[in-house]
Amino acid sequence: MRALFLGTAAAEGYPAIFCECAHCSAARARGGRNIRRRSALMVNDDLLIDIGPDLVASMHDAGANFARVATLLITHAHGDHFHLPNLYMRRSNFCATTPAQMEVFGTPPTIGATQAEAQARDLSEEEFRLRLNTIQPGDSWQTGRYRVTAFPAAHAEELIAVFFAIEEDGRTLLYASDTGPFPDETWQRLQDFQFDCAIIESTMGIGPPGTHHLSMEQCAEHHQRLKDEGLLKPGARQLATHFSHNRTPPYLECVEYFAPHGIEPAYDGLVVQM
């Protein structure tokens, strides 16, 4: 299993679009791994998590090809994770070739918004070359070669936010973006897994603990709990993602902060091979 980070920033990007704070100014000056697009992750060449507004630029930078993506998992319908116009580009008048049939999985607010937009434009799922599937937190299902489980997230309750475990050929990935402290029911369900790679958000940076996002300290605590409860395989990769400029320092400072915890701060374009 291969994971490609297409974006590792929070909603405003990093540096933020209109901001000249010390973190944003340092990121602009240093460039490279300090420049972060809105979050998305690609698994192998056929599964995509989230479809935000930076996806075209991320594709170009990473040399990715989305034509073979057959499964799209959407964590929730906030605009930095779900930019519906991206799906318009699958229509025949925008796409000269036929992309793979795409199975889209999201909770009711996400799928409902997609269906409402299609109806308003008098478009069908066939024209988008996709199939919409409504899921609920706690669901587990097979899609192609993957087994996917959706966990309840402590985030955007009105949007029923979730995060995912993805299993393929004996490898298991945890991708927990946009959540506060994991709910008890999520920790209970996690007991059924052992992960080769765990990716957990740290939006709140170096600061007070969050309730709908995690600070860097909380991110480290969640990773430690995965270890303590035997939920990581020997040699499992542990990473942090979804960084906001507000309290998160630039890349090298993040490396220094997380190093004692055995955690790597992800960056745009990072490839993790499991």
Side-chain angles (χ1 to χ4, degrees), residues 23-252:
H23 290 163
C24 289
S25 297
R28 289 188 179 98
R30 298 182 192 181
R33 295 179 182 181
N34 298 283
I35 306 299
R36 303 179 181 277
R37 302 188 190 279
R38 270 70 68 91
S39 85
L41 188 83
M42 190 174 188
V43 177
N44 298 322
D45 63 353
D46 58 355
L47 187 149
L48 186 63
I49 304 177
D50 287 338
I51 189 167
D54 296 334
L55 204 61
V56 171
S58 298
M59 177 185 69
H60 294 165
D61 286 351
N65 177 4
F66 297 151
R68 299 174 185 172
V69 171
T71 298
L72 172 61
L73 308 177
I74 303 171
T75 57
H76 63 300
H78 277 160
D80 56 321
H81 294 263
F82 180 58
H83 184 62
L84 188 56
N86 282 328
L87 294 179
Y88 301 164
M89 303 303 113
R90 296 176 59 79
R91 295 170 58 199
S92 59
N93 55 329
F94 291 108
C95 187
T97 59
T98 303
Q101 176 76 15
M102 183 186 287
E103 299 282 346
V104 180
F105 297 91
T107 56
T110 300
I111 298 302
T114 308
Q115 291 170 331
E117 182 71 11
Q119 291 171 2
R121 292 174 174 265
D122 195 26
L123 298 172
S124 66
E125 292 181 33
E126 289 74 19
E127 287 177 281
F128 284 114
R129 302 175 186 179
L130 51 81
R131 185 181 298 111
L132 301 176
N133 300 274
T134 302
I135 60 166
Q136 295 288 348
D139 285 354
S140 185
W141 67 94
Q142 192 75 29
T143 174
R145 55 179 164 160
Y146 303 102
R147 185 76 183 170
V148 181
T149 301
F151 299 98
H155 181 79
E157 287 82 358
E158 73 283 3
L159 297 178
I160 315 179
V162 292
F163 57 87
F164 300 105
I166 301 165
E167 301 172 82
E168 185 247 343
D169 196 24
R171 300 292 185 182
T172 307
L173 168 70
L174 177 66
Y175 184 74
S177 175
D178 278 52
T179 182
F182 293 0
D184 289 342
E185 60 185 304
T186 293
W187 281 113
Q188 292 169 7
R189 188 67 188 277
L190 285 168
Q191 303 303 311
D192 297 332
F193 295 86
Q194 272 199 318
F195 296 102
D196 297 274
C197 180
I199 303 163
I200 299 177
E201 75 122 84
S202 64
T203 310
M204 303 303 290
I206 301 172
T211 55
H212 291 81
H213 285 292
L214 298 176
S215 67
M216 291 169 73
E217 181 179 4
Q218 288 174 304
C219 175
E221 290 169 351
H222 278 61
H223 275 291
Q224 186 62 48
R225 184 168 174 180
L226 290 176
K227 283 183 182 177
D228 293 344
E229 298 192 8
L231 306 182
L232 299 177
K233 294 179 184 177
R237 298 279 293 272
Q238 296 178 265
L239 298 106
T241 193
H242 205 271
F243 300 102
S244 169
H245 71 108
N246 284 309
R247 297 190 185 96
T248 306
Y251 174 74
L252 287 178

